[in-house]
Amino acid sequence: MRHDVPDQLTIRYFAGARAAAGTAEETASAGRSLDELTNELTRRHGERLAAVLRVASFLVDGVTCHDRRTPLPAGATIDVLPPFAGG
């Protein structure tokens, strides 16, 4: 369901993040940082997703995001990866 809209971000949820968001994928407007995006996603989906987002790792176009305040590039895909159990 990739939209490839230049001024949008595609957010993909995995495992527990998918369950908490109630969807596998959605879009959001570009031009914001990861911190700003996670605040928006919390407003959309509530505290259950917020709890996952606090401990999740994020990939931006397949690369780990280390600076949550850097603006996300338009057209990027953001993968939300909660901690995985097992071992």
Side-chain angles (χ1 to χ4, degrees), residues 28-43:
S29 299
R32 66 186 75 210
S33 68
L34 186 57
D35 279 342
E36 292 166 328
L37 177 63
T38 58
N39 287 337
E40 177 185 331
L41 297 174
T42 295
R43 284 191 299 275

Side-chain angles (χ1 to χ4, degrees), residues 1-2 7 11 13 20-21 27 32 34 41 46-49 57-58 61-62 68 70 73 81 83 87:
M1 185 170 142
R2 171 102 182 188
D7 62 343
I11 300 99
Y13 298 102
T27 61
R32 66 186 75 210
L34 186 57
L41 297 174
E47 184 53 38
R48 184 172 175 213
L49 181 60
S57 298
F58 299 88
D61 289 334
R68 296 174 59 105
T70 298
L81 306 171

